[in-house]
Amino acid sequence: MDQKVRQFEVCTQDGSVDRHGNPAIRANTGKWLTAILILVNQGLATLAFFGVGVNLVLFLTRVMGQDNAEAANNVSKWTGTVYIFSLLGAFLSDSYWGRYKTCAIFQASFVAGLVMLSLSTGALLLEPSGCGVEDSPCKPHSTVKTVIFYLSVYLIALGYGGYQPNIATFGADQFDAEDSVEGYAKVAFFSYFYLALNLGSLLSNTVLGYFEDQGEWPLGFWASAGSAFAGLVLFLTGTPKYRHFTPRESPWSRFCQVLVAATRKAKIGVNYEDLNLYDSETQRTGDKKILHTKGFRFLDRAAIVTPDDEAEKVESGSKYDPWRLCSVTQVEEVKCVLRLLPIWLCTILYSVVFTQMASLFVVQGAAMKTNIKNFRIPASSMSSFDILSVAFFIFAYRRFLDPLFARLNKTEPNKGLTELQRMGIGLVIAIMAMISAGIVEIYRLKNKEQGSSSGSSSLSIFWQVPQYMLIGASEVFMYVGQLEFFNSQAPTGLKSFASALCMASISLGNYVSSLLVSIVMKISTTDKFPGWIPENLNKGHLERFYFLLAGLTAADFVVYLICAKWYKYIKSEASFSESMTEDEEV
């Protein structure tokens, strides 16, 4: 018995294992040593990704010959596809490969796509030589060259998308949530993870963005490829020290089992006030039994033991048929996912606002005064103010705002804002960002240069700073809160899927943005008016689109408040390892 107690003292209690499949030794694995490797890896990968993504809209207009609306739509679709691939990566991680293997494989695909893009750009796409700058667009490309370009950028999308949700969860896996010190560090990790993501994109938005804006596209893309390769090598160096969670049966099989079992028992009589539900006695170390809740009562039928279930058990030997009878914990896992969906849906419209930073904000900035004496500021580099805003507000929230809210909280002392409250604040700040962008566009039009074929204005590009800063502040409340919320509320076997949901909301936000731009252009374009977002912005009304987004986000905020009030937080018993430790101590 003393030996078992000592084992729990030196091993993690959340069920994590080392690379050989043995229980992870707390002193020799995980914690900030491996988490820092993952944070730096995230920064390098983000630098590489945004080295392509931040100027992709300009590459499509200057090199591939697309107009503003088409380029903005294609960037939104590409970015959306990145995050759709995150669902694939999460599925493979949770069900088969585990997070470490999934991260390594998709990072290798990411590097391959960047190398392919660098080679094709320098050898095939920049024709004639010296093209790809604002005043010298490239000539039209053949179908083969265009296919090679899109194959490379979508290989990048596959690699980065499949890797991204798993690296966030894998980083959180390095901390034992059952330990008070490591549990606090695990919560802090998500803030630092998002900070690393933004700091990684700072260099790509400034240095790489500048060179690409000057037509040095191969240099920028090769720098991105080198950064991604360095990140992959760094990730692999931490292999002996990482903590892992071994994937078990597919979580989607467990999900479907509940639906099938509940449907099979749809016609049986049930007294919901006096339920006797099946609770499996078998648990894996680190698992937690989720307490029964009253919502989605139809699903409770899957955990009701019937005479047919008992007969099936006798025939099979000793086990119930999992497609006829499920444990309470398994039923509650499905309920958890269903409760998360309305909250998740409300974040999609926020992502529509967020995606404007990589598309219409850049187009708007390019139509403003970008020169300081002889130095030209790339419009895409203005997103650096978003990154600085994220860094500032992460620091300010963790050091000042969170302790302040904890002191002001009378109902739950020493507890700051909940994740849902922070996400709501993010929506409000996003509305303010769109109003700010619309006001800037009004003043830009008042200062437009008459007769300009490019749609330029004498208004300085630095007028965009407030809208970028507001977007950055909203990200800290929305996306960091969302990462923490989905990771804490998702069942054990669906942690990567929870992170993928965060990315999928960005994905759908990009697709909705693309659809919204298309609808707005179709409705607003007439024979005498080129629409709200024409090639020459001086002839359009971009501010109306921004105000439309502000109105839609305000309506979304009202719906979000209803969903957040309805949501019930997951409640679970002590983990299996905790209960064993307590038994041994007694």
Side-chain angles (χ1 to χ4, degrees):
M1 291 176 65
D2 291 340
Q3 183 178 0
K4 291 184 178 181
V5 172
R6 286 196 298 272
Q7 177 185 356
F8 284 113
E9 289 176 348
V10 299
C11 296
T12 56
Q13 298 182 31
D14 59 356
S16 58
V17 298
D18 60 21
R19 62 172 175 161
H20 300 296
N22 301 316
I25 305 299
R26 188 184 302 280
N28 299 336
T29 60
K31 296 181 290 190
W32 282 113
L33 175 63
T34 51
I36 289 174
L37 288 177
I38 290 171
L39 291 175
V40 177
N41 166 266
Q42 168 67 13
L44 291 171
T46 304
L47 188 157
F49 176 73
F50 284 102
V52 175
V54 76
N55 266 331
L56 186 58
V57 68
L58 296 183
F59 187 88
L60 291 175
T61 55
R62 297 177 183 180
V63 179
M64 303 305 293
Q66 299 178 8
D67 58 39
N68 284 335
E70 182 183 7
N73 272 346
N74 281 329
V75 170
S76 293
K77 291 174 183 177
W78 176 76
T79 309
T81 304
V82 170
Y83 298 120
I84 287 295
F85 281 136
S86 70
L87 295 174
L88 172 63
F91 171 75
L92 292 173
S93 171
D94 287 336
S95 303
Y96 302 106
W97 292 349
R99 288 185 263 279
Y100 171 80
K101 185 177 180 180
T102 305
C103 287
I105 291 175
F106 279 102
Q107 281 189 83
S109 171
F110 182 45
V111 172
L114 285 166
V115 171
M116 184 177 176
L117 176 63
S118 303
L119 289 171
S120 62
T121 299
L124 302 175
L125 300 178
L126 293 181
E127 294 180 349
S129 179
C131 73
V133 294
E134 183 176 12
D135 299 325
S136 180
C138 298
K139 69 178 185 180
H141 303 294
S142 66
T143 302
V144 173
K145 293 179 180 179
T146 302
V147 168
I148 292 175
F149 164 73
Y150 278 110
L151 182 62
S152 62
V153 293
Y154 276 94
L155 186 59
I156 292 170
L158 171 65
Y160 187 77
Y163 144 87
Q164 192 64 22
N166 293 293
I167 197 67
T169 310
F170 188 57
D173 289 345
Q174 305 311 305
F175 301 98
D176 183 0
E178 309 303 335
D179 179 80
S180 59
V181 176
E182 290 193 30
Y184 179 80
K186 185 172 187 173
V187 173
F189 172 81
F190 288 107
S191 293
Y192 296 129
F193 179 83
Y194 200 75
L195 179 62
L197 186 153
N198 280 271
L199 292 179
S201 63
L202 180 61
L203 183 59
S204 61
N205 289 343
T206 52
V207 178
L208 295 187
Y210 174 77
F211 283 112
E212 291 171 358
D213 188 63
Q214 299 300 311
E216 299 291 342
W217 297 102
L219 174 63
F221 292 158
W222 276 117
S224 293
S227 176
F229 179 75
L232 174 58
V233 172
L234 187 67
F235 176 79
L236 295 176
T237 60
T239 300
K241 296 290 185 180
Y242 290 134
R243 294 176 185 173
H244 308 262
F245 282 91
T246 306
R248 49 179 173 179
E249 63 180 304
S250 169
W252 299 112
S253 294
R254 291 170 59 85
F255 191 96
C256 293
Q257 284 169 357
V258 172
L259 299 181
V260 171
T263 303
R264 281 182 168 182
K265 299 175 182 177
K267 295 182 180 180
I268 66 173
V270 176
N271 180 7
Y272 286 108
E273 302 303 323
D274 184 26
L275 288 175
N276 183 20
L277 303 176
Y278 170 66
D279 197 0
S280 175
E281 297 179 356
T282 59
Q283 271 192 294
R284 195 175 60 166
T285 300
D287 282 355
K288 292 185 177 183
K289 289 186 177 181
I290 305 176
L291 300 180
H292 176 253
T293 58
K294 293 184 178 180
F296 300 102
R297 287 185 166 184
F298 174 78
L299 297 177
D300 290 337
R301 294 171 177 269
I304 297 175
V305 182
T306 65
D308 290 339
D309 295 323
E310 295 291 355
E312 186 76 21
K313 180 181 179 181
V314 172
E315 291 179 7
S316 62
S318 61
K319 292 183 179 181
Y320 290 109
D321 181 358
W323 293 92
R324 294 188 60 90
L325 182 65
C326 305
S327 68
V328 172
T329 295
Q330 191 174 344
V331 171
E332 290 300 320
E333 288 176 356
V334 177
K335 291 183 181 181
C336 286
V337 174
L338 296 179
R339 288 194 181 103
L340 287 174
L341 289 180
I343 301 293
W344 173 72
L345 288 172
C346 289
T347 66
I348 294 174
L349 202 56
Y350 171 83
S351 296
V352 176
V353 172
F354 175 74
T355 195
Q356 304 313 311
M357 200 168 50
S359 53
L360 290 181
F361 278 18
V362 178
V363 173
Q364 182 188 36
M368 300 173 77
K369 182 182 178 181
T370 59
N371 292 327
I372 300 179
K373 293 184 178 180
N374 295 325
F375 181 76
R376 183 176 181 277
I377 303 169
S380 61
S381 68
M382 290 299 292
S383 57
S384 301
F385 289 100
D386 164 79
I387 298 165
L388 294 174
S389 176
V390 167
F392 172 78
F393 278 99
I394 283 179
F395 174 79
Y397 179 78
R398 293 200 59 80
R399 294 294 182 181
F400 304 108
L401 296 179
D402 192 42
L404 175 62
F405 288 128
R407 286 197 297 269
L408 296 175
N409 192 340
K410 302 300 182 182
T411 56
E412 296 182 83
N414 300 321
K415 185 176 182 181
L417 295 173
T418 67
E419 294 94 340
L420 289 175
Q421 290 171 336
R422 287 154 59 189
M423 291 162 66
I425 292 173
L427 280 172
V428 172
I429 300 175
I431 296 170
M432 297 166 60
M434 287 297 96
I435 293 174
S436 174
I439 293 173
V440 168
E441 180 62 15
I442 291 174
Y443 279 94
R444 193 197 68 81
L445 290 173
K446 288 182 178 179
N447 292 271
K448 63 184 178 184
E449 296 178 356
Q450 299 296 330
S452 173
S453 60
S454 60
S456 58
S457 170
S458 60
L459 189 68
S460 172
I461 194 174
F462 287 105
W463 280 86
Q464 284 192 310
V465 170
Q467 65 201 58
Y468 278 104
M469 296 289 285
L470 286 169
I471 289 291
S474 71
E475 290 175 60
V476 173
F477 287 96
M478 171 57 79
Y479 282 144
V480 176
Q482 188 181 10
L483 273 172
E484 292 180 22
F485 176 71
F486 279 78
N487 188 268
S488 66
Q489 296 299 299
T492 302
L494 288 171
K495 296 295 184 183
S496 293
F497 171 74
S499 295
L501 270 183
C502 300
M503 298 186 67
S505 73
I506 302 177
S507 166
L508 291 176
N510 279 273
Y511 284 121
V512 172
S513 175
S514 176
L515 177 63
L516 198 57
V517 169
S518 299
I519 293 174
V520 163
M521 287 299 294
K522 186 171 184 178
I523 294 176
S524 63
T525 301
T526 63
D527 294 336
K528 297 182 179 180
F529 180 64
W532 286 4
I533 317 172
E535 180 71 19
N536 186 334
L537 288 184
N538 287 352
K539 298 179 180 180
H541 282 289
L542 179 59
E543 78 283 359
R544 295 179 182 175
F545 184 75
Y546 287 144
F547 292 145
L548 173 64
L549 287 182
L552 291 174
T553 308
D556 180 58
F557 175 66
V558 174
V559 176
Y560 173 81
L561 289 178
I562 297 172
C563 294
K565 186 175 180 61
W566 167 80
Y567 185 81
K568 294 180 181 178
Y569 280 85
I570 186 174
K571 294 181 180 180
S572 57
E573 297 178 357
S575 69
F576 186 48
S577 56
E578 283 182 302
S579 62
M580 285 186 68
T581 304
E582 292 171 359
D583 291 341
E584 295 293 344
E585 289 174 349
V586 172

